[in-house]
Amino acid sequence: MSKISLNNICKRYEENEDYSVKDFSIEINESEFIVFVGPSGCGKSTSLRMIAGLEDITSGELYIDGKLSNNVPPKDRNIAMVFQSYALYPHLTVYDNIAFGLKIRKLDKKTIDYKVKKTAEILNLTNYLKKKPKELSGGQMQRVALGRAIVKESDIFLMDEPLSNLDAKLRVEMRKEILNLKNKLGSTVIYVTHDQTEAMTMASRIVCLNNGIIQQIGTPRELYTNPINAFVAGFLGSPSMNFIEGKVKDKIFYDDDNNKIISGVNSHDGRVTLGIRPESIELSKEGDLPFNINLIELLGSNYDISGKIFENKIVLKCDLEKNPKNNGELFVKIPLEKTYLFDRDSGDRIFVGEKHED
Ligand SMILES: Nc1ncnc2c1ncn2[C@@H]1O[C@H](COP(=O)(O)OP(=O)(O)OP(=O)(O)O)[C@@H](O)[C@H]1O
Ligand SMILES: [Mg+2]
């Protein structure tokens, strides 16, 4: 039995003409770490809030532990939710913030004390229990917010962009902590983010959304190597996949200015978009495709180089020892086996190089 099951869930806010979420269907198994990812406004929070019971479901069915739950009040769903704004009570200590939900449930003092201390231990907050939120760092506040969720001992956690207020370094640390925590507790997690790195590193499966519609569901690797359309291909990966608009004629791909880019393309003639990831472009020798460098960014372990192949804007990754020069020219090769082709109108993938195995 699935832990959570969504069956053609739709949401239309009364004042809106359009649906915010359309036909959202997924079976989520126990202990999965599911990440909803997509651009701002694509319906991530709305979907999560419907599962939590904080938003009415317009149509479709939601099952939790096999029970039809569309109309079950949030407090009876045994779900813990963590919000982006930590939603801590500023006048209460860390201890009382964590204990709050248990006091409302009228647990006895001793049980509350035991649970709060155990939770603080898991989250390394033992030394902060007497402090107020304003005395804490962002990461510590975030841990208190997590503590308030954990202490309820729900087996489902819903998290809506819980790390977006933290600086980059803390974000990486908290990412690991949340994963450790999940493994320790064995809980099922649904995690919302618009950050593709978080999605790639944390998810057991990713649900990629655009305009309220699921584009693709799969493991991070599946979505990265086998994206179903140009949207998914462009959303996952940093820097994003490069796209060159053009056409195929007699197995040769030409850009829109009729420059020959690559031959041997296994597709029928027509208007297409060619996709190639920055790390898949190879530095080559004179006579291959000219690449005019515009900007070089040192990222520590490699360079990201922005430039153009003819008039097509391209980003590629390059090893440190290559030592490229600003405003210089490189020659590059686009390996056929690493290219993707997409229908220019629908964005659907129509070809994938043969080396993209899962
Ligand atoms: N309370 C509301 N009333 C009316 N429309 C809403 C409401 N909440 C969200 N919407 C609309 O529903 C759509 C989806 O919004 P949602 O908040 O789910 O997006 P999101 O993917 O979480 O975006 P973000 O990354 O910016 O948080 C948007 O078009 C938004 O304007
Ligand atoms: Mg949101």
Side-chain angles (χ1 to χ4, degrees):
M1 183 179 70
S2 311
K3 188 77 191 156
I4 305 171
S5 167
L6 280 74
N7 222 333
N8 292 100
I9 295 277
C10 297
K11 174 70 183 182
R12 190 172 68 80
Y13 290 97
E14 259 172 37
E15 62 272 37
N16 296 355
E17 209 166 289
D18 290 336
Y19 278 80
S20 293
V21 175
K22 267 174 268 174
D23 288 325
F24 197 119
S25 295
I26 186 173
E27 303 286 326
I28 298 174
N29 299 316
E30 196 160 319
S31 301
E32 273 201 284
F33 197 113
I34 298 287
V35 176
F36 294 172
V37 73
S40 184
C42 72
K44 304 179 294 293
S45 297
T46 300
S47 305
L48 199 72
R49 291 171 61 82
M50 286 191 283
I51 298 170
L54 302 173
E55 209 67 73
D56 289 338
I57 294 170
T58 307
S59 64
E61 296 105 43
L62 166 71
Y63 292 89
I64 299 173
D65 287 323
K67 181 181 164 206
L68 184 63
S69 300
N70 289 43
N71 298 317
V72 175
K75 66 174 173 41
D76 298 331
R77 292 192 187 196
N78 197 23
I79 281 176
M81 184 142 171
V82 182
F83 299 90
Q84 173 179 355
S85 62
Y86 315 123
L88 303 180
Y89 299 106
H91 56 288
L92 297 183
T93 61
V94 168
Y95 184 102
D96 289 329
N97 263 287
I98 297 176
F100 193 84
L102 304 179
K103 282 185 182 161
I104 285 190
R105 285 198 212 161
K106 303 217 173 359
L107 266 61
D108 66 84
K109 248 186 155 160
K110 223 170 128 192
T111 311
I112 292 178
D113 191 61
Y114 173 76
K115 286 180 191 277
V116 170
K117 286 186 175 151
K118 199 175 101 192
T119 300
E121 217 167 276
I122 294 175
L123 291 166
N124 277 330
L125 286 169
T126 307
N127 294 332
Y128 301 93
L129 283 171
K130 292 194 180 123
K131 293 201 186 288
K132 299 261 176 75
K134 67 171 190 304
E135 300 171 89
L136 303 178
S137 71
Q140 288 160 347
M141 281 197 268
Q142 188 59 67
R143 289 210 292 271
V144 179
L146 282 172
R148 294 200 338 178
I150 294 170
V151 82
K152 288 166 76 179
E153 292 175 354
S154 336
D155 48 4
I156 301 172
F157 282 89
L158 306 182
M159 305 191 185
D160 195 347
E161 311 234 14
L163 306 185
S164 54
N165 288 337
L166 305 179
D167 67 43
K169 187 158 174 279
L170 251 181
R171 238 178 10 233
V172 175
E173 276 172 28
M174 285 301 295
R175 228 155 65 191
K176 289 191 194 129
E177 284 193 32
I178 289 177
L179 281 177
N180 283 337
L181 197 63
K182 182 221 161 274
N183 292 337
K184 227 186 265 180
L185 304 174
S187 23
T188 308
V189 180
I190 307 181
Y191 186 102
V192 161
T193 183
H194 60 263
D195 179 338
Q196 62 87 31
T197 314
E198 277 181 21
M200 290 294 290
T201 53
M202 298 178 89
S204 54
R205 280 192 300 158
I206 294 176
V207 179
C208 185
L209 291 160
N210 191 25
N211 287 329
I213 298 172
I214 295 181
Q215 305 293 303
Q216 192 170 4
I217 302 178
T219 63
R221 198 182 159 89
E222 277 163 2
L223 266 61
Y224 193 79
T225 55
N226 253 322
I228 196 165
N229 59 27
F231 178 82
V232 177
F235 197 81
L236 296 174
S238 175
S240 297
M241 183 183 281
N242 296 293
F243 294 110
I244 304 177
E245 308 261 287
K247 60 184 170 297
V248 173
K249 192 161 185 304
D250 299 332
K251 310 279 178 213
I252 299 174
F253 176 82
Y254 300 88
D255 71 9
D256 275 345
D257 294 328
N258 277 322
N259 298 299
K260 182 175 159 185
I261 304 292
I262 184 170
S263 53
V265 177
N266 189 14
S267 157
H268 49 73
D269 291 0
R271 280 156 43 87
V272 295
T273 303
L274 180 137
I276 181 85
R277 293 211 181 268
E279 67 271 24
S280 301
I281 300 177
E282 291 169 7
L283 295 191
S284 180
K285 54 185 190 314
E286 198 154 344
D288 272 327
L289 289 167
F291 180 88
N292 284 304
I293 298 174
N294 183 0
L295 177 71
I296 300 175
E297 291 168 284
L298 174 62
L299 293 182
S301 58
N302 70 284
Y303 294 109
D304 280 355
I305 309 183
S306 312
K308 280 182 178 175
I309 297 176
F310 304 114
E311 286 307 306
N312 310 291
K313 283 189 183 158
I314 299 287
V315 178
L316 58 84
K317 282 185 182 293
C318 156
D319 295 339
L320 291 185
E321 64 266 21
K322 298 287 192 312
N323 216 1
K325 297 215 168 31
N326 255 330
N327 295 318
E329 192 174 57
L330 293 171
F331 290 91
V332 299
K333 196 167 157 260
I334 295 181
L336 179 65
E337 69 273 13
K338 294 200 173 149
T339 58
Y340 299 82
L341 287 187
F342 303 96
D343 184 285
R344 231 162 116 165
D345 300 314
S346 67
D348 290 346
R349 198 190 68 207
I350 47 183
F351 167 82
V352 53
E354 65 262 35
K355 284 212 179 141
H356 299 290
E357 72 286 342
D358 295 324

